[in-house]
Structure formats: C-alpha cells, structure tokens
Amino acid sequence: MALDTGSVPEEFRAHPDWKDVVPSVTDAATLGDGLRVAREQCGRSMAELSAVTRVPTRYLLALEQNDFSVLPNRVFSIGYVRVYAAALGLDEQLAVERFKRESPDPCVPLQAPVGVAFEDARRYSPRLIAAGVALVLAVVGWNVFQRVSLMRAAQPSDIAAVPESWTLGAVPGQEAFMRLTAPRPAPPDQTIPALYITPGLETELTGIDPTSPEAMAAAASAATPVQKAFNPRGAIYGASANASQVVIQAREAAGLVVRMADGRVLFARQLAVGDSWRAPVGVSAVVDVSEPAAFDVYLNGEHGGALQATLTPLDQLNTRAQGLARQAAAEVAARTTAARAAAAQAAVGASATMDGAVVGIAAN
C-alpha cells in the first residue's frame, strides 16, 4: 500500500470500484502525471470528480496537464490541488508541496546564495588580517620616525644683543610711559551726559521759572510737603482700596476693635506688625485700640501721624481725609490756572515784540 493512502475519506473506501493500491504522488514524473494516473486507476471520470470537488473541469484538466498558467491565483490553486488529491485518495500535503516546487511563487523575492561567500572570506581572512596589521604598523612607525627626527637637544641662544630690527620704530625716552599701571577713571567726556531740559517747557507747565532763584524759593515754601506713603507690609482687612480713604496700620502687634453706633462690632482682630485695616466711607463707628502709639493713620495714601486716643471716631478720620483731598485738588487747580495765565502772558508778550519788530522794519 502506498504511504499516502491513509488520508482517503471513508466514503471513497466504501465505493464498489475502490482499489486499495494507489500509486503515491511522489512516484510520478510530475504532479499532473501522478494525478492523472491516480484518476485512471480509480476509474472515475473528470466530470464526476469535478462534481465531487466542486472544481471546474478545465482546472482539473490543467492540473493533470501541468498547465499552471490556466489556474486562478495561488491561494485557489493550492486549494484545488488539495481537494483533488483528497478525492483521488492521495496525500494532500505531499501534493501541495510538490505543486509549490513545480510552480514557485513569483512574488517571493530571490535570495542570494549563502555558504560560498563565507568560505571565500574564511579562505582569504588570514591574508586580509595580515595586510591590515602591516598597514597599521607602517603608519605608527612613520609617525614615530617623524617625531624622533625632529627632536633636538636644548642649546643656549646665540643672540648677544637685541637686534636693531626688533627696536625699529621705538622712540628713545618712552619706555617709562609704556608701563602698565592701575586703571584710571574715565575722562569727563565719557561720563553720562546731563539730562536735557527743553527751555521754557517747565515754565509753561508749572508757571515757575527754573532760572529764577526767587521763584523757586517761593514755590518751595508754598508747596505742601509730601508725607510718607502707605506701604502694605502684611495682611490688609476691611474695605477695598477704591472705597476707602483711611488706612490704619499696626506699627507693632496690638488689638484693634471697631464698634458701630448700635454696639455691633464691625471689625475685631489682633493685628501683627505691618497688618492694616481700611476704613469704609460713610460708616459711623468708633475705633478702639489698646495702644494708640502702636498704630499709624494714612489719609489718602499719605502718612497722617499716629492715633491720638484710645477711642477715635471714624467720622473724624474720614472728614480729615476728605478735607485734605479737597485741599490738594484746590492746589492743583490753582497751579494749573497760574500756569495757563503765565503761558497766555508770555504769548501776549511775544506777539507784542513781533509787532514792534514789524513796525520798525516798515519804518526803515
């Protein structure tokens, strides 16, 4: 019995025309010859096998004639070979492997043969290694020879005096001036220049002549001195900045209690150094502190001194801040009016001078 008859389905073995002896697919010259011989020995027609395998007759005939160009794509062709071999009682795997050998897949790229190049490389490797070692030794030897040939023993200089060409262009007596000393300050022309002030601009804006000492002294005596500004150095409690004109800041740790007229407590806290409380505007309350000297009062952002008493009406502080604000606004308005008047007077004087010059030219 052939080696590949074990994969034959049982329905074919029960057929009355079944012959147990089936030649192997590997015994024939080609796959097509093996399939044709197996079909002839089974005594089955091509149409009958086509109906059993559900493979068109032309494809079965192409397999027997080794005309693989008629077959569809490779996946279907391998399937046709498998079912046709099974229907004939042949080993399916042997038939598929022989089909792959006789009809190789053109999509698989060819690979370079291995073994021959390795043998050649192993045959010539001693020569290549020897040539590389010789090249390295030659390069190292050449570099060593060059360094040794350029080496010289130290010898004293033959120069007995400085050659004249080395001092060519030197001026006698200037050796002392060419010594390096400590750095000197920059000359006056390399310092920062003085700030440029447009002539007449300050007089036009302020109404005060900066070149007149009497005007500057009078302006200084009339100007309100600027007090120390409020500097937040801790937590700030109370109203917002745009809704308050009075700020009470703790110079040292002390307690601050603000009570309203009906007895309710508006604010109560032990303030640390630098903590502040902004007083709201239009609220009738009393500021109660444990130590008045421990708190500074700031009116409109400027220092207004310390608290004067343990109990201070908040209306008094707000009224004081509003009065200072009105006074500052009045001073600004007065300075602006004086500046405009001075500018107008200067313009009238300049116009009169120009008119006089025109009349003089016309008279001549």
Side-chain angles (χ1 to χ4, degrees):
M1 180 182 295
L3 294 177
D4 56 347
T5 57
S7 59
V8 179
E10 293 297 331
E11 60 267 22
F12 293 110
R13 292 180 178 275
H15 197 275
D17 296 334
W18 171 255
K19 296 181 180 180
D20 193 22
V21 179
V22 179
S24 175
V25 72
T26 58
D27 296 339
T30 61
L31 174 64
D33 295 340
L35 295 175
R36 179 177 51 78
V37 171
R39 180 180 59 80
E40 291 176 353
Q41 290 190 3
C42 291
R44 308 180 69 177
S45 64
M46 188 76 68
E48 181 182 357
L49 290 173
S50 176
V52 172
T53 59
R54 302 195 179 199
V55 178
T57 306
R58 64 179 184 278
Y59 293 149
L60 298 180
L61 183 60
L63 287 175
E64 291 187 358
Q65 295 178 355
N66 296 316
D67 189 6
F68 301 138
S69 60
V70 180
L71 299 176
N73 57 46
R74 191 169 184 81
V75 177
F76 285 98
S77 301
I78 293 175
Y80 293 164
V81 172
R82 189 181 300 277
V83 297
Y84 195 24
L88 295 176
L90 302 175
D91 193 327
E92 306 170 12
Q93 189 62 31
L94 291 178
V96 170
E97 291 178 358
R98 184 155 190 182
F99 172 76
K100 291 180 179 180
R101 288 197 305 269
E102 296 182 2
S103 176
D105 188 3
C107 299
V108 178
L110 297 178
Q111 299 180 357
V114 295
V116 178
F118 177 74
E119 293 294 336
D120 293 343
R122 193 169 67 177
R123 185 186 310 153
Y124 294 107
S125 58
R127 301 178 186 177
L128 296 176
I129 295 174
V133 171
L135 180 61
V136 172
L137 292 177
V139 172
V140 173
W142 173 257
N143 283 274
V144 172
F145 172 74
Q146 290 292 330
R147 291 182 176 272
V148 171
S149 62
L150 294 177
M151 291 176 61
R152 277 185 168 184
Q155 298 179 0
S157 177
D158 298 334
I159 301 177
V162 178
E164 183 180 358
S165 59
W166 290 13
T167 59
L168 188 62
V171 180
Q174 285 191 351
E175 290 80 2
F177 299 99
M178 299 301 293
R179 298 174 185 173
L180 296 178
T181 59
R184 298 180 180 181
D189 59 342
Q190 294 185 6
T191 57
I192 299 176
L195 180 63
Y196 176 77
I197 300 177
T198 304
L201 180 61
E202 187 173 355
T203 304
E204 183 178 353
L205 294 177
T206 62
I208 302 173
D209 187 6
T211 60
S212 175
E214 295 79 6
M216 295 298 295
S221 61
T224 303
V226 179
Q227 302 296 330
K228 182 175 64 174
F230 170 66
N231 181 20
R233 292 179 286 111
I236 300 178
Y237 305 97
S240 59
N242 56 358
S244 175
Q245 293 179 318
V246 178
V247 179
I248 301 176
Q249 187 177 40
R251 186 183 301 176
E252 57 187 46
L256 174 65
V257 179
V258 182
R259 295 185 179 88
M260 301 184 68
D262 55 1
R264 291 181 300 170
V265 177
L266 180 62
F267 177 78
R269 193 177 187 87
Q270 180 73 17
L271 298 182
V273 178
D275 290 352
S276 307
W277 178 73
R278 289 196 182 103
V281 179
V283 176
S284 179
V286 177
V287 178
D288 185 1
V289 296
S290 57
E291 181 63 34
F295 293 92
D296 289 327
V297 179
Y298 291 88
L299 306 175
N300 300 318
E302 294 186 1
H303 186 254
L307 285 176
Q308 301 299 324
T310 305
L311 299 177
T312 305
L314 186 58
D315 294 337
Q316 178 182 350
L317 298 177
N318 283 327
T319 303
R320 184 181 169 189
Q322 293 171 3
L324 293 176
R326 287 194 296 268
Q327 181 181 353
E331 292 178 357
V332 171
R335 287 197 297 267
T336 304
T337 303
R340 291 177 179 175
Q345 185 177 0
V348 171
S351 176
T353 302
M354 185 177 296
D355 293 341
V358 172
V359 171
I361 293 173
N364 292 334

